[in-house]
Amino acid sequence: MLEQFIELKTRQLIFYTARYFRGRIPYQELHLFIWDTLEEWAQFGIQLKTPQNHQEQVFWHLLHQLEFWPEQQLKTDQVLQQNIQHCLSYLRGKGNIPLDCVGIRP
């Protein structure tokens, strides 16, 4: 069940993030997706903070980055945007795990 959750939410995270950076959805919609995901995660009641695999690690890292940085920074910081794109590439199966990726479960 947990693996299915991460797999589904990873696909959705890729979709929402890519659409946001293409200017197709507003930041608020991305923000609501993140909080809905965290609400659903809370229902699992998992106490272990260590992700099961690299995909889950990158998933949590990207989710945190998108929620941590203010919208203005997401739109203007090119290094941050490159890091986000690197995470997206990995989650799509088209790249290596980002070296500076520190993803833990909430």
Side-chain angles (χ1 to χ4, degrees), residues 47-98:
Q47 299 300 316
L48 184 63
K49 298 287 185 186
T50 305
Q52 287 186 318
N53 56 41
H54 291 302
Q55 177 188 357
E56 186 182 352
Q57 180 182 352
V58 175
F59 170 82
W60 290 121
H61 175 79
L62 180 56
L63 206 72
H64 178 264
Q65 293 299 306
L66 293 169
E67 189 59 27
F68 177 79
W69 296 106
E71 180 180 12
Q72 187 61 31
Q73 188 124 6
L74 289 171
K75 286 185 173 187
T76 60
D77 187 325
Q78 291 183 352
V79 172
L80 178 58
Q81 288 176 0
Q82 287 174 341
N83 290 337
I84 289 170
Q85 291 305 319
H86 193 175
C87 290
L88 288 173
S89 291
Y90 177 78
L91 292 174
R92 287 181 180 123
K94 298 180 180 181
N96 297 321
I97 187 168

Side-chain angles (χ1 to χ4, degrees), residues 17-45:
T17 305
R19 303 242 339 149
Y20 169 72
F21 280 102
R22 289 185 195 129
R24 299 217 174 128
I25 64 169
Y27 175 76
Q28 188 61 25
E29 194 169 334
L30 176 64
H31 174 74
L32 288 174
F33 163 74
I34 291 169
W35 280 99
D36 286 346
T37 299
L38 291 173
E39 247 180 64
E40 290 176 48
W41 174 257
Q43 293 176 12
F44 282 103

